[in-house]
mmCIF file of all heavy atoms in Angstrom:
data_model
loop_
_atom_site.group_PDB
_atom_site.id
_atom_site.type_symbol
_atom_site.label_atom_id
_atom_site.label_comp_id
_atom_site.label_asym_id
_atom_site.label_seq_id
_atom_site.Cartn_x
_atom_site.Cartn_y
_atom_site.Cartn_z
ATOM 1 N N LEU A 1570 -34.843 -36.868 -44.166
ATOM 2 C CA LEU A 1570 -36.048 -37.362 -43.493
ATOM 3 C C LEU A 1570 -35.938 -37.236 -41.976
ATOM 4 O O LEU A 1570 -36.886 -36.818 -41.313
ATOM 5 C CB LEU A 1570 -36.312 -38.816 -43.896
ATOM 6 C CG LEU A 1570 -37.672 -39.376 -43.524
ATOM 7 C CD1 LEU A 1570 -38.801 -38.497 -44.026
ATOM 8 C CD2 LEU A 1570 -37.826 -40.778 -44.072
ATOM 9 N N LEU A 1571 -34.769 -37.549 -41.421
ATOM 10 C CA LEU A 1571 -34.591 -37.406 -39.971
ATOM 11 C C LEU A 1571 -34.695 -35.945 -39.539
ATOM 12 O O LEU A 1571 -35.277 -35.650 -38.490
ATOM 13 C CB LEU A 1571 -33.251 -37.993 -39.530
ATOM 14 C CG LEU A 1571 -33.177 -39.509 -39.462
ATOM 15 C CD1 LEU A 1571 -31.793 -39.952 -38.999
ATOM 16 C CD2 LEU A 1571 -34.239 -40.074 -38.549
ATOM 17 N N ALA A 1572 -34.151 -35.038 -40.330
ATOM 18 C CA ALA A 1572 -34.249 -33.612 -39.997
ATOM 19 C C ALA A 1572 -35.706 -33.168 -39.991
ATOM 20 O O ALA A 1572 -36.130 -32.404 -39.112
ATOM 21 C CB ALA A 1572 -33.443 -32.782 -40.985
ATOM 22 N N ALA A 1573 -36.499 -33.651 -40.928
ATOM 23 C CA ALA A 1573 -37.921 -33.299 -40.971
ATOM 24 C C ALA A 1573 -38.665 -33.878 -39.770
ATOM 25 O O ALA A 1573 -39.529 -33.213 -39.187
ATOM 26 C CB ALA A 1573 -38.540 -33.794 -42.272
ATOM 27 N N LEU A 1574 -38.337 -35.097 -39.411
ATOM 28 C CA LEU A 1574 -38.974 -35.700 -38.235
ATOM 29 C C LEU A 1574 -38.608 -34.932 -36.967
ATOM 30 O O LEU A 1574 -39.452 -34.714 -36.100
ATOM 31 C CB LEU A 1574 -38.580 -37.175 -38.109
ATOM 32 C CG LEU A 1574 -39.203 -38.109 -39.153
ATOM 33 C CD1 LEU A 1574 -38.549 -39.480 -39.082
ATOM 34 C CD2 LEU A 1574 -40.702 -38.209 -38.964
ATOM 35 N N ASN A 1575 -37.362 -34.513 -36.873
ATOM 36 C CA ASN A 1575 -36.938 -33.714 -35.722
ATOM 37 C C ASN A 1575 -37.697 -32.395 -35.670
ATOM 38 O O ASN A 1575 -38.130 -31.953 -34.608
ATOM 39 C CB ASN A 1575 -35.438 -33.450 -35.767
ATOM 40 C CG ASN A 1575 -34.624 -34.668 -35.423
ATOM 41 O OD1 ASN A 1575 -35.114 -35.620 -34.828
ATOM 42 N ND2 ASN A 1575 -33.361 -34.673 -35.826
ATOM 43 N N ARG A 1576 -37.869 -31.778 -36.815
ATOM 44 C CA ARG A 1576 -38.601 -30.512 -36.857
ATOM 45 C C ARG A 1576 -40.068 -30.707 -36.467
ATOM 46 O O ARG A 1576 -40.697 -29.830 -35.882
ATOM 47 C CB ARG A 1576 -38.505 -29.895 -38.242
ATOM 48 C CG ARG A 1576 -39.204 -28.579 -38.298
ATOM 49 C CD ARG A 1576 -38.759 -27.748 -39.420
ATOM 50 N NE ARG A 1576 -39.513 -26.503 -39.377
ATOM 51 C CZ ARG A 1576 -39.478 -25.593 -40.290
ATOM 52 N NH1 ARG A 1576 -38.712 -25.761 -41.327
ATOM 53 N NH2 ARG A 1576 -40.192 -24.507 -40.177
ATOM 54 N N ALA A 1577 -40.585 -31.900 -36.782
ATOM 55 C CA ALA A 1577 -41.969 -32.212 -36.420
ATOM 56 C C ALA A 1577 -42.099 -32.606 -34.954
ATOM 57 O O ALA A 1577 -43.191 -32.876 -34.475
ATOM 58 C CB ALA A 1577 -42.501 -33.333 -37.313
ATOM 59 N N GLY A 1578 -40.971 -32.649 -34.227
ATOM 60 C CA GLY A 1578 -41.012 -32.935 -32.801
ATOM 61 C C GLY A 1578 -40.701 -34.373 -32.436
ATOM 62 O O GLY A 1578 -40.823 -34.751 -31.277
ATOM 63 N N LEU A 1579 -40.306 -35.184 -33.378
ATOM 64 C CA LEU A 1579 -39.962 -36.585 -33.109
ATOM 65 C C LEU A 1579 -38.446 -36.713 -33.015
ATOM 66 O O LEU A 1579 -37.762 -36.951 -34.004
ATOM 67 C CB LEU A 1579 -40.512 -37.483 -34.220
ATOM 68 C CG LEU A 1579 -42.021 -37.418 -34.406
ATOM 69 C CD1 LEU A 1579 -42.427 -38.148 -35.668
ATOM 70 C CD2 LEU A 1579 -42.729 -37.999 -33.202
ATOM 71 N N TYR A 1580 -37.935 -36.558 -31.793
ATOM 72 C CA TYR A 1580 -36.484 -36.568 -31.591
ATOM 73 C C TYR A 1580 -35.949 -37.947 -31.222
ATOM 74 O O TYR A 1580 -34.866 -38.319 -31.623
ATOM 75 C CB TYR A 1580 -36.092 -35.578 -30.485
ATOM 76 C CG TYR A 1580 -36.545 -34.176 -30.777
ATOM 77 C CD1 TYR A 1580 -37.655 -33.635 -30.136
ATOM 78 C CD2 TYR A 1580 -35.887 -33.397 -31.711
ATOM 79 C CE1 TYR A 1580 -38.077 -32.346 -30.411
ATOM 80 C CE2 TYR A 1580 -36.305 -32.107 -31.997
ATOM 81 C CZ TYR A 1580 -37.404 -31.596 -31.336
ATOM 82 O OH TYR A 1580 -37.817 -30.325 -31.625
ATOM 83 N N ASP A 1581 -36.696 -38.682 -30.458
ATOM 84 C CA ASP A 1581 -36.232 -39.964 -29.947
ATOM 85 C C ASP A 1581 -36.968 -41.081 -30.677
ATOM 86 O O ASP A 1581 -38.098 -41.429 -30.335
ATOM 87 C CB ASP A 1581 -36.488 -40.046 -28.437
ATOM 88 C CG ASP A 1581 -35.833 -41.255 -27.817
ATOM 89 O OD1 ASP A 1581 -34.854 -41.761 -28.393
ATOM 90 O OD2 ASP A 1581 -36.322 -41.709 -26.760
ATOM 91 N N LEU A 1582 -36.329 -41.642 -31.692
ATOM 92 C CA LEU A 1582 -36.976 -42.667 -32.499
ATOM 93 C C LEU A 1582 -36.721 -44.052 -31.918
ATOM 94 O O LEU A 1582 -35.604 -44.386 -31.539
ATOM 95 C CB LEU A 1582 -36.452 -42.620 -33.936
ATOM 96 C CG LEU A 1582 -36.729 -41.341 -34.720
ATOM 97 C CD1 LEU A 1582 -36.143 -41.449 -36.112
ATOM 98 C CD2 LEU A 1582 -38.208 -41.054 -34.779
#
Side-chain angles (χ1 to χ4, degrees):
L1570 193 53
L1571 284 180
L1574 288 170
N1575 286 341
R1576 182 160 180 187
L1579 301 170
Y1580 303 103
D1581 189 24
L1582 297 180

